[in-house]
Amino acid sequence: MNETADELAGVVDLFGGLTHAELEHALSEVAFRADGQTVDTDASETAIESALETFALVRYTPENGAADDLEAGSDEPLLVVGPTAFPQTPEHAEDLPHILDVSPRRPDREAVGEAAQARFRKAVDASLEDVTDGDGDIDEATDTLEHLLDVSYDLEAWAPLDLSDERTRLTQALEDA
């Protein structure tokens, strides 16, 4: 199975949130149900990291193992559907809620929004540093800045966030590029 960000989000959306290990297990189940094969763990890991980088998935850690998020006492981060995803349940995944021993979760939207905002700010800082260092490809850096500018609007529509300061910094860097 070659996972797209939207397919990963579709699997996560079936449960409301999954830990990294649970998502890997779910992908293994889908691959096996599809053609009896095992999942390419390197490709899946790359797809998950890419989905996190593009905000199709958001990682957050529930406080004190909140009952609606994780089992009591667990502090393992959850992956939840992010603002840029259009969740699409992959073929052969519809039975995952019956196969996996994972109860549906209702992540705290405010906490997820705060985690996404923190991640976004780090991405903006890193991208602006890359631009000012001048070490990389200017076209690639500009594409990244434009992508982050678009994501800022998605994030604000998705959660009660104000990213106007980051948007100003991105816009200024694009004008200076």
Side-chain angles (χ1 to χ4, degrees):
M1 174 183 178
N2 291 324
E3 304 85 8
T4 67
D6 290 338
E7 289 173 325
L8 292 172
V11 170
V12 169
D13 197 40
L14 290 171
F15 300 92
L18 291 172
T19 65
H20 196 281
E22 291 167 342
L23 179 54
E24 287 178 341
H25 182 206
L27 296 175
S28 293
E29 290 290 340
V30 171
F32 182 77
R33 290 177 50 88
D35 57 14
Q37 300 295 315
T38 59
V39 71
D40 179 345
T41 53
D42 289 338
S44 289
E45 187 61 36
T46 299
I48 292 168
E49 288 306 313
S50 177
L52 287 164
E53 287 175 17
T54 61
F55 294 88
L57 293 177
V58 173
R59 179 185 293 124
Y60 96 108
T61 304
E63 286 189 32
N64 301 322
D68 287 345
D69 295 337
L70 287 173
E71 291 71 38
S74 176
D75 60 356
E76 192 169 352
L78 278 180
L79 303 176
V80 298
V81 176
T84 65
F86 293 97
Q88 187 177 62
T89 305
E91 195 173 344
H92 306 289
E94 60 278 348
D95 290 332
L96 283 175
H98 306 294
I99 296 170
L100 298 183
D101 186 25
V102 175
S103 299
R105 297 178 173 134
R106 291 184 309 274
D108 177 339
R109 296 298 297 165
E110 187 174 323
V112 173
E114 290 170 5
Q117 183 176 32
R119 164 73 180 88
F120 180 76
R121 286 182 173 153
K122 287 181 184 177
V124 168
D125 290 344
S127 295
L128 292 174
E129 187 175 309
D130 288 347
V131 169
T132 57
D133 287 348
D135 292 337
D137 179 2
I138 191 67
D139 291 334
E140 184 178 321
T142 301
D143 288 347
T144 300
L145 295 175
E146 288 172 348
H147 170 73
L148 288 171
L149 191 59
D150 289 342
V151 168
S152 73
Y153 293 107
D154 293 337
L155 278 164
E156 286 183 338
W158 179 73
L161 302 173
D162 178 8
L163 301 172
S164 56
D165 290 343
E166 289 79 7
R167 205 168 15 261
T168 299
R169 293 172 59 211
L170 291 167
T171 302
Q172 186 62 53
L174 284 165
E175 290 172 1
D176 293 345

